[in-house]
Amino acid sequence: MIVVMKSRCNKEEINAVIRRIEEYRLTVHISEGVEHTVVGILGQIPPELQERMELLSGVEQVIPISKPYKLASREFHPQNTIVKLNDITIGGDEIVVMAGPCAVESEEQLLTTALAVKASGANILRGGAFKPSTSPYGFRGLGVEGLKLLRKVSEETGMPVITEVMSPGDVELVAGYADILQIGARNMQNFSLLDEVGKTQKPVMLKRGLSATIQEWLLAAEYILSQGNEQVILCERGVRTFETYTRNTMDVSAIPAIKKVSHLPIIADPSHATGKWHLVTPVSLAAIAAGADGLMIEVHPNPDLALKDGAQSLTFDNFSKLMSQLTTIAEAIGRKLAATGVEASP
Amino acid sequence: MIVVMKSRCNKEEINAVIRRIEEYRLTVHISEGVEHTVVGILGQIPPELQERMELLSGVEQVIPISKPYKLASREFHPQNTIVKLNDITIGGDEIVVMAGPCAVESEEQLLTTALAVKASGANILRGGAFKPSTSPYGFRGLGVEGLKLLRKVSEETGMPVITEVMSPGDVELVAGYADILQIGARNMQNFSLLDEVGKTQKPVMLKRGLSATIQEWLLAAEYILSQGNEQVILCERGVRTFETYTRNTMDVSAIPAIKKVSHLPIIADPSHATGKWHLVTPVSLAAIAAGADGLMIEVHPNPDLALKDGAQSLTFDNFSKLMSQLTTIAEAIGRKLAATGVEASP
Amino acid sequence: MIVVMKSRCNKEEINAVIRRIEEYRLTVHISEGVEHTVVGILGQIPPELQERMELLSGVEQVIPISKPYKLASREFHPQNTIVKLNDITIGGDEIVVMAGPCAVESEEQLLTTALAVKASGANILRGGAFKPSTSPYGFRGLGVEGLKLLRKVSEETGMPVITEVMSPGDVELVAGYADILQIGARNMQNFSLLDEVGKTQKPVMLKRGLSATIQEWLLAAEYILSQGNEQVILCERGVRTFETYTRNTMDVSAIPAIKKVSHLPIIADPSHATGKWHLVTPVSLAAIAAGADGLMIEVHPNPDLALKDGAQSLTFDNFSKLMSQLTTIAEAIGRKLAATGVEASP
Amino acid sequence: MIVVMKSRCNKEEINAVIRRIEEYRLTVHISEGVEHTVVGILGQIPPELQERMELLSGVEQVIPISKPYKLASREFHPQNTIVKLNDITIGGDEIVVMAGPCAVESEEQLLTTALAVKASGANILRGGAFKPSTSPYGFRGLGVEGLKLLRKVSEETGMPVITEVMSPGDVELVAGYADILQIGARNMQNFSLLDEVGKTQKPVMLKRGLSATIQEWLLAAEYILSQGNEQVILCERGVRTFETYTRNTMDVSAIPAIKKVSHLPIIADPSHATGKWHLVTPVSLAAIAAGADGLMIEVHPNPDLALKDGAQSLTFDNFSKLMSQLTTIAEAIGRKLAATGVEASP
């Protein structure tokens, strides 16, 4: 950590800074610049020290040097984390595609969709049983009934399922039915929930918050990792900006940025990022070209009758076209789509 | 709701839109413009209809007319909501000041601070027992021990207390100690938590999310109101923008905007909005001048030794100066500070 | 245009709205909803009418229906605009790559770079002679000297050149040396400059403003188009958000969004969008996968000695690797790189 | 400037960094931390050095220590700059109010408005002759004719006038008629224009760009100051965020922030910041309470007939009420409104 003193600070102020640092049994290193004296602090620095130093008289600015996350950092864990699920690997050479309806509505809707997306090459079934809704009057999901349908269709199709958990009290319940636990964007900093999923042995897919920086996102992952759960998958789903044509703004450069600073797998969710079905295919191809390890795509048998997020859902036909273009792009960058899960028993 | 057809749509597409609307037993109203045919939909419109209509062939845009929140809307509830707490009213003529440390650290720290802020005119004691921390390695609060200290100091000083609840499972616990339940910015769309506090009879202070629009904020309030709890106080605490000089950007115009569209009281939190103690006083005065019903201010006996958010905390002395300027500004706009709570027994 | 009346408006307020519309000789269409009366306005609506209607008593909201841009709109011009430059086409099947140093520094630097990028497959040479600099103390370019070097190297290599013009008074000068005029992000709404380049016969590349919506960007293009210059190329170069890891945030979904609403070609500038050379290649591939018609890439013989934007410049070697990956991605989506310009004389 | 080396960098990389610094004849200062070696650079550092160092092998991060602006900085110029105009001072104890129509439409409109706002206490007349318009089809002002009307009305009322200049070529023309030159938000980084107004002897009011940081804004001021013109007034007029209820988001904390880091006067423009007339008064009071040196307010005899920005314009009556509340707030913070200019001849 570096303490930059004001250009007009006096000797006594510098000494007070030094004394404070030494109270923490840290080492001090002074450097006198043309305009500013700079005090370096060496040693294991407690998190609250930055703000405390900022308040001392004569201090202009305090600059942290070390990254605040460790377990999520590539610096401390150079090899890619690879999450395994049956035959599927996430974070290795393969590209995974999680597809399915925004919300589970009925057994027929879910099974039809699962069979269709699997036939087109999807590996994992997505579907919401507990749904976040901006309005209390919107559809909030089938709850436990939805979880049971997900499990049933998973067994019939051999596809692992991913579904969202919204409350710490529901983690055990949802983990009983799901293969991957999803933390939604609005809950990225729901720390009680992060602690709870960190205590399970299930892979967790952590969506980026609407206005979360890359650093905050990795610190949220660090919550889960520090509870002992190493199977964390990140999901870029667009951030909030001033642009209103799209629902959110897909931050495509976050994909290679995460690959640089972290070892965790990252997938992209173009459905929520764009909010418009006709943008889903080009943005999916872009995410894979940028290095994403997979996609999460909303597909519905009849988007114009969906209970939720119809406007961003692909039809079976459009999903099938997307998958065929995806195969070509994956090859172009030297990767391939993962297999479509354990075959259903005959 | 209004459906704008594409300029080149055909008769059959318009008819399909009309048929779909009539399936919902809603009334249709057609208007042929120079460039666009516009289809009005009259009647009680289900929330999912907008996205469904957007997907029909030939549709350019679907525009909702009614506000999605009702209970929080001034249109349906013209009189100001006034929350009462002992002798204090929030949302009427009086201005309330909630002050105290960011986090409860010890009985001495809390009691000293409470006595100091009360002496300067604060009405309500704030202090965090459960603390959200961006990093899992930061200070996360004293928990139940902190709640007990808050209750104890409340009884010794006669000041009602406000403290944050972060998890649905903790609502009953926290409500046993607090006079006002606080929902933090990161939890504004933690819908399970909103449901839970909506079921209590305690006033709830709902902070605006980091990147929440005014409409989303009022929809979050609607969650609480629709559970039967009418005592909701809003709190503007800054939104996230590109500016990095301040921790967040105080949206001062949201204060009169909320007053226009809603009947709920609104207070401002300049400590979190700015993140810098030297900006807290001018921004506090601004918020009151703009019509806020109160302030929430972080105060610490020794900000440079605080376990959390020291950089934005006022010293007792600076808080006392703020309160004296605040009194003058309040008078200038025809309001006055609320009394400082029930007197402590001698 | 649609005028939504307040739910409690009275008959007289509705009549006043109708009278005002009729003064403009426009047709009125009334629709009585459950909560709101909605007044449709039919006919050619003057731009100032929206704000004027909003101020009438009893009016809740005024919603425009027509898009404010016409010449830039695909609705009124369904075929793609294709800009031609020697053998190169921009906006058709081919993908163009504009590459070169951020700033022209010397003949040797420019010629070396031009030869290197051409050898790797770049079609157009970029290089700044007039450079915008956030600080008045930064490098502001070689000016006319830089323009002359660009022309000279263009003739030696057969590559057309693109360079920025920053001031209306310089348009004629710059047009005398450049093949494409570039309008920088900071000047997207420099309306005097837009008018001026609109009067030339040179293709204009219009960069998106740092915080410009897609609609504002197309309205800026409309300025140029409405002066009679139809050769406008758009350039997505990242928008400003709260994220600080990257210099800006590449809005990759803007690429297919522009293709949907406009007929103009769009290229991407990953160098400025990311500000970090190691993100340039993945984001370039993403932009092409999303449907961009080309790229603008900063390349420098020695990025660590560049006078400007070294951190985002590729070395010759990295550029060459990018071009080879780009060729594969282009093929994967059924497009191909444009030829590398007229051959230099032997 | 501080160079943070990667945690796994080797000796040779550190030596290469040191050699590069010594080539610039700067002094090196090494500090070995637990995780990172930190290299301090002492001496006069050229602007391009940061990016150059970032590219060297083994470098993690380069952190500048000195502020990039000097002339605009309070550090180098501790006393407030006070701009004088007739009897009026801007930046001292007095509060100035610039009021008038968004656009000059006719002599009658301008004179009526000038007399009305002067009668209510406004000191300076505002009015646009050259108007930026997002659409090429909107009203772009009366041009020279508007300038002449401004001068005429200025002489009749004794009020100095402020008006916008949009193009470097117009600076001399506009300076011939105006008392203060206004640089609009869209032109904050129109560097040719900044250079040009910096060469005049007229006070310049520099609006903050839609998405400009405080540092970029002060660097834009530095352009003007470094040309020799010391009379720069800053104007906060709202920044662009995700919120759509208001036209922009007034960054009220920027007012005390500017006062802290700079000596330049700052005024606020609540009309453009909010875009809604009913928010103008509360936000005006807030800005003054936060320490602004003045206001710029749009006033129109008949806002519902204005050619531009009617929705945000106050009527004479509402402006008069604002001025009376303003007087009370100014007193509450120990300031007073400036006199209303030289009296018009009888």
Side-chain angles (χ1 to χ4, degrees), chain D residues 3-6 17 53-62:
Chain D
V3 180
V4 181
M5 301 301 293
K6 287 186 178 151
V17 165
M53 300 306 298
E54 278 171 5
L55 288 164
L56 296 183
S57 175
V59 170
E60 166 94 17
Q61 202 187 354
V62 183

Side-chain angles (χ1 to χ4, degrees), chain C residues 52 133 137 140 222-223 305, chain D residues 52 133 137 222-223 305:
Chain C
R52 289 182 173 188
S133 162
Y137 311 122
R140 298 176 69 180
E222 191 90 359
Y223 263 88
L305 293 174
Chain D
R52 289 183 174 188
S133 162
Y137 311 123
E222 191 90 359
Y223 263 88
L305 294 175

